[in-house]
Amino acid sequence: MPAVVILGAQWGDEGKGKATDQLGSSLDYCVRTSGGNNAGHTIVVNGEKFATHLLPSGILTPGCVSVIANGVVVDPGALFREVDGMNERGVDTSRLVVSSNAHLITSYHTTMDKVTERFLGKNQIGTTGRGIGPAYADKINRTGIRVADLLDEKILRDKVEASLDLKNHILAKVYNRRAITVEEVVEDLLSYVDRLRPMIADTSLLLNRALDDGRTVLFEGAQATMLDVDHGTYPFVTSSNPVAGGACTGSGVGPTRIDRVIGVVKAYTTRVGAGPFPTELFDADGEKLWEVGGEVGVSTGRNRRCGWYDAVVARYAARINGLTEFCLTKLDVLGSWERIPVCVGYQIDGVRHDEMPMTQSEFHHAEPIYEFFDGWQTDISGARTFDELPKNARAYVQALEEMSGAPFWAVGVGPGREQTVVLR
Ligand code: IMP
């Protein structure tokens, strides 16, 4: 099973790190293909909790080569803070590789991200403020700075100058902020070159050769399907393509080489930041999901909005990504409810929709249609096989599988590596 994509099937924070971990020791390469340090994966290894942001979670698997591929936007300061943090805890980061074509996040991108959000007022996206959108905007505008540019100081200076010129006009004239000098940006970027140089590689070549040699390569998604700039709840999305197709464009590995596409889906739903969320709860149930699920953002510490499982979203993710299977996470969190609602369709302006509506306006009006399942009201965190789950938990999982559009591969029953029930 050499090439596997793992991605988020909802609005992020589904527990992708745990699903990644499940492939564990068989992993030779672990690749990030989109997003940047806006991501946050929590991984518990031998009872010790680790959080990764920009680093692929394979960094915690001994012997695994961790790859930051071309589709990622890299804030070098954030990268080395994370590397240093890992090293301090005894994690070996010597196998980290960074694509020469990945774009850089500079101080002007993070500044632009924050001032733009403030300017948007009530229309703000609720970004992580990490400069993700402005860095991708520069990439598409063809005014981005790439990792390889760091290797040629003259080119770097020219590119920063060209990119900064218009931004300084905007910063000073629209946002009334201090202009940023070319020198301060160049100096900051050059301060990372010596550490970065040995990590820089043609990662497309590296990964294709690894696949030729029969190595196992995991493409690890960040963010999620509903945050995809093309297929998510635009404009309340991130600025990249976290869907399965993004794993190919973001790495230079063709779609015919991918063997499995695993969608990670929580047994309920959460979302951080603004935007529509049909099954969102504003009552005691929502508060309980938040509390029991520990639903606080790994990257920004923001509280996640919580709601019930949405099978329309799951079916949509199965379709958009061509999922071969799902990994269901955090089933244990639902252990104290007597009755568990699941959204099976939407009522929109008097019409029933079983699939994602065509327009965002319709999605904003979507009222969930619920089916109710009996809870199991017991701790399931010790279950290791499907048969060890209580009858009602099995029925809940089977019902979700039937309505979600792809087979369930594994079910998470707790945060630990071993707390997983593998179904097939
Ligand atoms: P940005 O990616 O910082 O531009 O933020 C855009 C939207 O994506 C905001 O609603 C963020 O909260 C959301 N977002 C970005 N990264 C993540 C993530 O890793 N998990 C969940 N939401 C995220």
Side-chain angles (χ1 to χ4, degrees):
M1 201 52 75
V4 182
V5 175
I6 287 189
L7 51 84
Q10 294 159 320
W11 277 280
D13 309 309
E14 296 91 351
K16 294 180 282 290
K18 181 177 169 61
T20 303
D21 225 29
Q22 214 41 48
L23 298 169
S25 53
S26 58
L27 209 62
D28 297 310
Y29 290 78
C30 182
V31 193
R32 274 285 306 273
T33 58
S34 68
N37 58 316
N38 49 347
H41 288 164
T42 308
I43 304 139
V44 180
V45 186
N46 300 329
E48 215 187 322
K49 202 169 175 177
F50 290 89
T52 60
H53 300 282
L54 181 56
L55 292 177
S57 65
I59 204 85
L60 296 166
T61 303
C64 176
V65 179
S66 288
V67 179
I68 295 179
N70 58 279
V72 177
V73 282
V74 179
D75 178 332
L79 173 67
F80 287 114
R81 275 193 300 280
E82 207 175 324
V83 165
D84 291 343
M86 286 290 176
N87 293 159
E88 276 160 25
R89 294 177 70 184
V91 177
D92 175 16
T93 55
S94 62
R95 288 189 176 78
L96 177 64
V97 183
V98 180
S99 167
S100 54
N101 286 345
H103 279 247
L104 292 169
I105 300 179
T106 70
S107 58
Y108 54 80
H109 294 119
T110 39
T111 302
M112 290 299 284
D113 195 357
K114 288 173 189 154
V115 293
T116 314
E117 278 285 274
R118 226 168 288 148
F119 194 73
L120 281 172
K122 69 174 177 45
N123 294 323
Q124 65 180 221
I125 310 293
T127 72
T128 58
R130 304 282 155 87
I132 307 296
Y136 277 114
D138 273 2
K139 172 176 173 171
I140 302 303
N141 257 335
R142 293 160 295 187
T143 53
I145 316 290
R146 302 204 285 182
V147 167
D149 297 328
L150 293 175
L151 303 177
D152 185 327
E153 194 175 328
K154 178 167 179 329
I155 295 237
L156 176 68
R157 201 173 298 274
D158 288 350
K159 289 195 174 179
V160 169
E161 202 171 333
S163 185
L164 201 48
D165 191 31
L166 175 64
K167 286 179 194 76
N168 270 335
H169 283 292
I170 299 172
L171 278 175
K173 292 174 188 155
V174 178
Y175 296 118
N176 204 19
R177 299 277 297 225
R178 172 182 82 81
I180 296 170
T181 68
V182 173
E183 218 32 62
E184 66 187 278
V185 175
V186 170
E187 214 173 278
D188 178 56
L189 290 176
L190 288 178
S191 71
Y192 303 107
V193 173
D194 288 343
R195 284 190 81 184
L196 201 54
R197 188 179 284 112
M199 300 175 180
I200 303 174
D202 176 344
T203 51
S204 165
L205 185 63
L206 178 82
L207 293 170
N208 278 283
R209 284 197 174 147
L211 289 169
D212 291 344
D213 292 344
R215 304 270 179 236
T216 301
V217 178
L218 173 76
F219 299 88
E220 174 184 57
Q223 292 79 52
T225 304
M226 299 306 284
L227 290 172
D228 185 276
V229 69
D230 283 274
H231 301 287
T233 49
Y234 190 91
F236 301 101
V237 291
T238 192
S239 299
S240 64
N241 287 114
V243 294
C248 293
T249 53
S251 69
V253 170
T256 51
R257 306 209 74 168
I258 308 292
D259 300 278
R260 288 170 75 183
V261 183
I262 302 168
V264 185
V265 74
K266 242 187 278 210
Y268 51 99
T269 313
T270 63
R271 165 162 213 175
V272 197
F277 176 3
T279 63
E280 181 169 16
L281 294 164
F282 301 94
D283 57 9
D285 281 333
E287 224 160 90
K288 192 161 133 189
L289 282 175
W290 171 81
E291 199 181 331
V292 183
E295 295 298 348
V296 178
V298 181
S299 267
T300 59
R302 290 183 291 176
N303 286 339
R304 298 177 186 144
R305 301 153 63 191
C306 297
W308 300 119
Y309 189 85
D310 186 334
V312 184
V313 165
R315 278 198 292 279
Y316 181 68
R319 163 159 59 93
I320 293 292
N321 296 298
L323 296 184
T324 55
E325 62 232 272
F326 275 108
C327 172
L328 182 75
T329 59
K330 294 186 116 171
L331 183 66
D332 53 305
V333 171
L334 299 179
S336 62
W337 272 271
E338 206 177 313
R339 232 170 48 129
I340 306 169
V342 170
C343 169
V344 296
Y346 303 136
Q347 195 72 28
I348 304 172
D349 303 327
V351 179
R352 183 184 168 120
H353 288 247
D354 292 310
E355 296 297 335
M356 193 59 67
M358 190 179 75
T359 68
Q360 278 299 302
S361 309
E362 289 169 296
F363 192 59
H364 277 260
H365 297 156
E367 293 290 336
I369 299 168
Y370 285 117
E371 249 178 50
F372 296 86
F373 293 85
D374 291 331
W376 43 96
Q377 296 185 281
T378 178
D379 176 11
I380 57 166
S381 61
R384 294 293 173 271
T385 64
F386 191 62
D387 291 338
E388 281 169 26
L389 290 173
K391 182 170 130 286
N392 289 351
R394 292 201 304 268
Y396 182 75
V397 170
Q398 275 166 340
L400 295 196
E401 182 172 36
E402 272 165 32
M403 54 179 94
S404 299
F408 281 15
W409 158 59
V411 178
V413 292
R417 228 174 204 177
E418 67 297 344
Q419 288 177 298
T420 309
V421 171
V422 177
L423 304 183
R424 28 175 88 78

